Each structure stands twice: as structure tokens, then as C-alpha cells.
Amino acid sequence: MNYYLPESINEATFLMDTYGNDAVIISGGVQVTNELSKLSINPSAIIDLNKVSILKEIQELEDYICIGACVKHVEVSKSPVIHKSIVALSNAAEKLGDLQIRNMASVGGTIALSDSYGDYWSILLAAGGYVNLSSKKRERKVQLSSWLEDRFLNIKEQNEIITSIHVCKVEKSIFLKQDFPNLQSLCIAGVIKENKGRIVITGATHLPIVFSFNILNNHRYHNYFNDFHKYLVELYSHTLDEYLFHMTSILVKKAINHLNILKYRLQREKE
């Protein structure tokens, strides 16, 4: 097994093209280390991206926050740039796993793993944005809304490397997480941007539940909740057990109530 520590994206993509299916990428290393210890993978090459400095940066752009693939979750939780532009992402990072995971695991690793039940996916899909991919042949962008195909399954091609994600800035955002005995955690994120709201739930179904609505000045939170509840019944009442359906509804009601409060704060700030 060969270990490589490239210092540029071009060098990393060259190595990926050379080894193909026999290479694994490390941006944090948690998932790869677990798989190696269990002997579930036996790669010919390990390509460690942690010497590629641009992949360790968090940048504020006009409409997006760009987060490099090697940025650790603890850095996301403490970033003033992220806290200012999308505080729910900071909150999600604070609650992700334990301290060791937050210090070691990377954003790129989370995107690559594509556990649709994971904490980040609710806020990433609520805010929107895209994943940046590089290979020897090309660079491309994939919308976050198109990334997940199923739990632990995404549309990344074999020789592509995740270099960063661009997450849209929003005006207001919230993140809620609830752990249940003998159940996967439910995560709910909500955002407000340009008079539009979006709520995303992860942990209830294999793919996240997405609900979008217009923010109307004369609408109370229970109106939004009634719309969501109708949507949930129509699409998911036959796939969710009664308890999970009930708990999802309760948490969404709480999230919509929070968003309604944030909506009025936002209106006051603009006056």
C-alpha cells in the first residue's frame, strides 16, 4: 500500500487517475481509518489531501460560503464567517458526533460518505448550494439537491475528488436535533431567504424530506404547519410508522414556530 501526500489538486487528480478504483481519498480520515481497521477495504494507494492548503480554507463570497473539503467540523462550528451567514450550520457542527469526531472528521468526508441521515444534510439542503468536484479530465459542480441518490449513495464518479462545497448565504436559519431511544436521530433545519422558507428533515426517511413555502406577512405559523402536515400525509403517511410520523410533525411544528419568530425579527431589522 502506497501513501501519498500531494500538495496540489492537480497532483491529487493525477494520482486518482493513475490508481482509479484502487485508491482511497483522505480529507479527514475517520471513515477510511474505520474501514481499514475492519479490513473492509484494501487499497493500493491512500491519497491524503491535507497538504493541499486551499482545501483547508473557509471563504466568504458574495452569495456563498465556500468550505474546503479538508475543513474539520470543529472549524465549521467556530467559524465567524459561517456563524454570520448561516448560523444553523455552525449549530449542526457543534452537535455532530463527539469531540473526537468533530476534531478529526472533515466536511469533504461527510459529503463523500453521503449518510442522508446525517446532521449536516438538513441544513445543506435547506440552504442550497453545490459540491465542487475535480478530476484529471474536468471540473464540475453538482447541486446539493441532486447529490444524494440514496443513503450512502451519491453521484460522484470514481476518479473525482471533492474539493469544496459552496453553501448559499441565508437571512435566518435554525437547526433542531432530537434523539429517540432505539431510533435514528431526527434533524430539522429551516431557512428564510428572500421571502421564501424551506424546511428539511433528515432521519425519518432514506432521502431527506424537503418542504418549501412563501413567507407571507399575514400568515401565522399554524398556517405553514397545516400546509406541511397535509404535504407529509400525502407523501409519507404510508412509509413512516405512527410514532415517527407523530414525532416528525411535533418537531416541524416547533421549527416553523421558530421561523415565524425569525421572520418578524427580520422584518423589524429591515424597517
Side-chain angles (χ1 to χ4, degrees):
M1 185 187 302
N2 297 310
Y3 175 79
Y4 296 97
L5 199 60
E7 296 185 1
S8 69
I9 294 173
N10 285 342
E11 187 181 349
T13 55
F14 173 81
L15 289 167
M16 278 298 294
D17 189 67
T18 300
Y19 284 97
N21 293 344
D22 289 328
V24 294
I25 290 287
I26 287 180
S27 56
V30 173
Q31 184 64 26
V32 172
T33 301
N34 286 340
E35 292 180 355
L36 286 171
S37 66
K38 295 176 183 177
L39 303 179
S40 57
I41 59 173
N42 184 29
S44 298
I46 294 176
I47 304 170
D48 189 339
L49 301 178
N50 281 284
K51 277 283 187 179
V52 185
S53 57
I54 195 171
L55 302 186
K56 304 179 84 171
E57 297 178 357
I58 298 173
Q59 302 177 58
E60 182 175 11
L61 308 177
E62 183 177 356
D63 297 318
Y64 297 94
I65 302 298
C66 177
I67 306 173
C70 293
V71 171
K72 303 301 188 285
H73 298 307
V74 69
E75 296 171 312
V76 172
S77 69
K78 294 180 178 180
S79 168
V81 170
I82 294 175
H83 192 273
K84 179 181 72 172
S85 299
I86 179 164
V87 67
L89 184 55
S90 296
N91 295 339
E94 289 174 357
K95 298 178 181 179
L96 190 146
D98 56 27
L99 184 59
Q100 183 178 12
I101 292 294
R102 292 193 292 274
N103 281 323
M104 292 181 61
S106 67
V107 171
T110 296
I111 300 300
L113 181 62
S114 297
D115 182 1
S116 57
Y117 282 24
D119 295 11
Y120 271 14
W121 286 106
S122 59
I123 185 58
L124 292 180
L125 293 175
Y130 55 89
V131 182
N132 293 293
L133 299 160
S134 291
S135 66
K136 188 177 178 182
K137 295 180 180 179
R138 63 171 178 169
E139 294 183 355
R140 68 176 178 131
K141 301 174 182 178
V142 177
Q143 294 295 316
L144 285 166
S145 58
S146 303
W147 181 255
L148 297 172
E149 293 188 319
D150 204 337
R151 192 176 185 188
F152 303 113
L153 184 64
N154 60 56
I155 66 170
K156 185 178 82 68
E157 296 174 3
Q158 179 59 41
N159 288 353
E160 289 181 319
I161 293 174
I162 298 168
T163 56
S164 65
I165 60 169
H166 278 58
V167 186
C168 295
K169 293 180 178 180
V170 298
E171 293 173 299
K172 297 291 182 182
S173 62
I174 60 162
F175 174 79
L176 303 174
K177 181 178 180 180
Q178 181 67 55
D179 296 316
F180 300 107
N182 304 319
L183 280 175
Q184 180 72 32
S185 299
L186 285 178
C187 296
I188 298 180
V191 302
I192 297 174
K193 183 179 180 181
E194 297 174 353
N195 294 320
K196 294 186 181 296
R198 183 181 294 143
I199 285 179
V200 177
I201 306 105
T202 59
T205 56
H206 267 217
L207 287 175
I209 299 170
V210 181
F211 177 65
S212 300
F213 51 95
N214 292 322
I215 299 291
L216 303 175
N217 290 337
N218 59 349
H219 235 40
R220 299 291 182 181
Y221 82 91
H222 58 264
N223 297 114
Y224 299 125
F225 176 72
N226 289 340
D227 292 341
F228 170 81
H229 194 267
K230 181 180 178 182
Y231 171 80
L232 195 66
V233 168
E234 289 176 352
L235 295 183
Y236 297 100
S237 59
H238 299 296
T239 58
L240 293 176
D241 65 63
E242 184 177 350
Y243 177 72
L244 191 55
F245 184 91
H246 176 67
M247 294 309 302
T248 301
S249 298
I250 289 175
L251 287 175
V252 169
K253 189 171 186 178
K254 184 177 180 180
I256 290 177
N257 190 22
H258 279 303
L259 281 182
N260 198 59
I261 293 170
L262 291 176
K263 177 190 73 172
Y264 287 110
R265 288 181 183 173
L266 185 61
Q267 290 170 349
R268 281 177 162 271
E269 291 170 6
K270 292 181 176 180
E271 289 176 357

